[in-house]
Amino acid sequence: LTEAAYARIAETDERIGAFLTLNEEAARVRAAELDQAGAAKGLLHALPAGIKDNIVTKGLRTTCASQFLSNYDPIYDATVSGKLQDAGAVTIGKLNMDEFAMGGSNENSSFRPVRNPWNTDYVPGGSSGGSAAAVAAGQVYFALGSDTGGSIRQPASYCGVVGLKPTYGLVSRFGLVAFASSLDAIGPITKNVEDAAYVLQTIAGHDRMDSTSADVSIPDYVGSLSGDIKGMRIGVPKEYMGEGIDPKVKEAVLAALRVLEDLGATWEEVSLPHTEYAVATYYLLASSEASSNLARFDGVRYGVRADDPDNLIDLYRKSRSQGFGQEVKRRIMLGTYALSSGYYDAYYLKAQKVRTLIKRDFDQAFEKYDLLVGPTAPTTAFRIGEQIGDPLTMYLNDIVTIPVSLAGVPAISVPCGFADGLPVGLQLIGKPFDESTVLRAAHAYE
Ligand code: GLN
């Protein structure tokens, strides 16, 4: 399987651009070890895996697709990287992304863009575009991505694969390079829902190395895929089916709802009234947290250091000016502004309060429904270059994934057909820590 993965990469990745670093030598040694008689057989035995390049891997270059970390070789494994190893997966390499996970098209990678395997003139989505494209192109069996405001679900949707963002805190963030710590979540990108259940089973669980990791017992996700969703109550947020949603995407979602109905579920419209404030709230909070998290990149502790500084301040300034790309700088400036004294109450604090209102919309809906269903993204993939000059349009692509991130609840994207030859994604959103229901419904649908 390892050889097949590298052969497929050799054949396709010049066009796709999913990988930033390959782990060929170590992967072959590892595969040979797993091949030996008597080798322990974990849940993911010998399966070729790709890991997004913001998840640290011991001794294997981890760049976050940033010039700043272009020479960074971590001295430890993220908790999830270790768990994959323990389960027998083979790390094939590190996957391309938007720099520091900021973006929704993979055009913000400072190395090269990723192309959508279904049509290479189109973006794969982002920021886990490399992860989604690698799975869609058959280069790896599964990949890990990270989702702060949609970065697993939206690229999964654009590339016609499955992407699961778990409940905040279910999967350890230890070793994930932080973007917005109160929102970041690691999850699987896979070819089907069953695979997603296997990978989640492997990576979920409490970790004392992450203070926000939840101490909850982990159910049998794979065992919950019974196919039975009779009597399941589904709410369809009307804000997710209204203005700005491509009619063809809406049509595909309505067709999927009919399938769920045939399987014995019932659905009706529900309102999440604060949806319209989600994008603004997210960009204030995520940028604020990013500006604080990215302060650690000073040219002293990590990555590339600028040459010939005049003094310490100049070293910081030069290293950060040279190391960060345009979008990352935009976020740092936005976030620093929102957190600055005099503006804090008006922006950051206000956004925190609105976040609570958005969370309450979900709490209320889940009093009545087991699941919320809608599109994953308002459109299918767009052309490379089409939106890159217009950050606001780009930000609006996450209009239906961001509220879920702000609420911290789990959601999956599964393929639900095509529009104009490109995949459409169906988003199924669950109660906190109720990944089992999300997976069961997605599996029954698929
Ligand atoms: N596209 C969103 C952003 O640019 C989401 C990114 C993410 O989830 N990492 O912030």
Side-chain angles (χ1 to χ4, degrees):
L1 296 178
T2 296
E3 291 311 326
Y6 286 118
R8 182 75 183 153
I9 290 167
E11 189 188 321
T12 55
D13 212 43
E14 208 160 303
R15 269 175 297 140
I16 307 291
F19 279 91
L20 291 176
T21 306
L22 293 176
N23 188 35
E24 281 197 74
E25 216 173 298
R28 290 203 163 97
V29 171
R30 172 93 177 122
E33 274 167 22
L34 290 164
D35 223 10
Q36 239 132 72
K41 283 212 163 68
L43 208 53
L44 306 175
H45 184 75
L47 295 181
I51 300 183
K52 187 178 181 180
D53 212 23
N54 58 350
I55 297 172
V56 302
T57 41
K58 189 175 175 179
L60 182 60
R61 185 140 301 179
T62 299
T63 68
C64 294
S66 179
Q67 295 302 328
F68 216 124
L69 294 177
S70 53
N71 64 357
Y72 178 56
D73 296 323
I75 55 167
Y76 69 104
D77 265 329
T79 298
V80 291
S81 309
K83 285 188 169 196
L84 289 191
Q85 288 276 327
D86 293 345
V90 177
T91 304
I92 295 298
K94 301 300 293 289
L95 292 160
N96 206 349
M97 53 185 283
D98 286 299
E99 186 178 5
F100 286 105
M102 296 171 189
S105 69
N106 238 281
E107 293 162 292
N108 295 338
S109 166
S110 78
F111 299 109
R112 57 175 176 166
V114 180
R115 292 172 178 275
N116 191 315
W118 291 92
N119 183 334
T120 50
D121 293 334
Y122 286 75
V123 302
S127 63
S128 313
S131 302
V135 173
Q139 298 174 336
V140 287
Y141 272 51
F142 72 93
L144 293 185
S146 71
D147 189 313
T148 303
S151 278
I152 288 176
R153 292 161 285 158
Q154 184 254 32
S157 165
Y158 286 5
C159 290
V161 293
V162 172
L164 171 69
K165 181 201 92 72
T167 307
Y168 180 80
L170 181 71
V171 175
S172 169
R173 292 184 295 112
F174 180 69
L176 171 68
V177 179
F179 163 12
S181 312
S182 77
L183 296 155
D184 295 343
I186 295 175
I189 295 185
T190 55
K191 292 183 200 177
N192 57 49
V193 176
E194 190 180 3
D195 289 358
Y198 274 98
V199 179
L200 184 66
Q201 200 82 56
T202 305
I203 61 174
H206 182 245
D207 179 14
R208 59 181 185 83
M209 300 301 280
D210 169 5
S211 64
T212 59
S213 161
D215 200 354
V216 292
S217 61
I218 304 303
D220 179 3
Y221 297 120
V222 180
S224 71
L225 306 177
S226 62
D228 182 8
I229 59 163
K230 277 191 202 68
M232 196 177 273
R233 296 160 307 167
I234 295 172
V236 176
K238 69 167 198 265
E239 292 79 4
Y240 293 17
M241 296 288 269
E243 210 191 320
I245 310 294
D246 182 333
K248 287 179 184 154
V249 168
K250 211 164 132 177
E251 214 173 283
V253 171
L254 288 170
L257 285 165
R258 283 194 289 276
V259 172
L260 291 165
E261 227 169 26
D262 287 344
L263 290 165
T266 57
W267 69 270
E268 61 185 20
E269 211 173 76
V270 59
S271 176
L272 303 176
H274 296 94
T275 303
E276 63 173 305
Y277 306 110
V279 171
T281 303
Y282 169 86
Y283 276 95
L284 279 169
L285 295 178
S287 304
S288 296
E289 292 185 31
S291 74
S292 167
N293 275 323
L294 270 60
R296 79 194 61 186
F297 300 106
D298 54 6
V300 177
R301 284 171 289 185
Y302 301 98
V304 176
R305 180 176 302 177
D307 294 329
D308 301 323
D310 296 335
N311 52 45
L312 186 63
I313 298 297
D314 193 45
L315 170 73
Y316 296 159
R317 186 183 295 128
K318 281 203 174 110
S319 299
R320 289 169 70 82
S321 300
Q322 293 165 14
F324 290 138
Q326 214 188 351
E327 183 63 25
V328 176
K329 286 177 184 160
R330 182 175 7 249
R331 306 279 178 117
I332 293 173
M333 286 192 283
L334 268 172
T336 306
Y337 180 80
L339 290 177
S340 56
S341 100
Y343 296 108
Y344 183 91
D345 287 3
Y347 294 118
Y348 183 76
L349 197 65
K350 182 74 145 285
Q352 289 284 38
K353 290 177 180 171
V354 180
R355 180 177 187 175
T356 303
L357 295 175
I358 291 166
K359 167 91 171 63
R360 280 191 200 147
D361 284 354
F362 283 90
D363 292 345
Q364 268 158 22
F366 283 128
E367 279 172 19
K368 201 162 165 205
Y369 304 103
D370 306 305
L371 206 64
L372 301 175
V373 172
T376 305
T379 64
T380 52
F382 43 93
R383 278 178 186 278
I384 292 174
E386 192 181 318
Q387 296 189 5
I388 193 68
D390 182 2
L392 197 57
T393 303
M394 192 75 94
Y395 294 173
L396 288 170
N397 293 323
D398 285 322
I399 198 157
V400 287
T401 47
I402 277 174
V404 175
S405 297
L406 289 168
V409 297
I412 199 168
S413 179
V414 289
C416 71
F418 290 84
D420 303 322
L422 289 164
V424 181
L426 181 74
Q427 186 175 209
L428 297 90
I429 307 162
K431 297 175 186 173
F433 299 106
D434 194 14
E435 277 74 6
S436 296
T437 299
V438 172
L439 287 162
R440 184 155 53 91
H443 174 71
Y445 167 72
E446 175 191 67

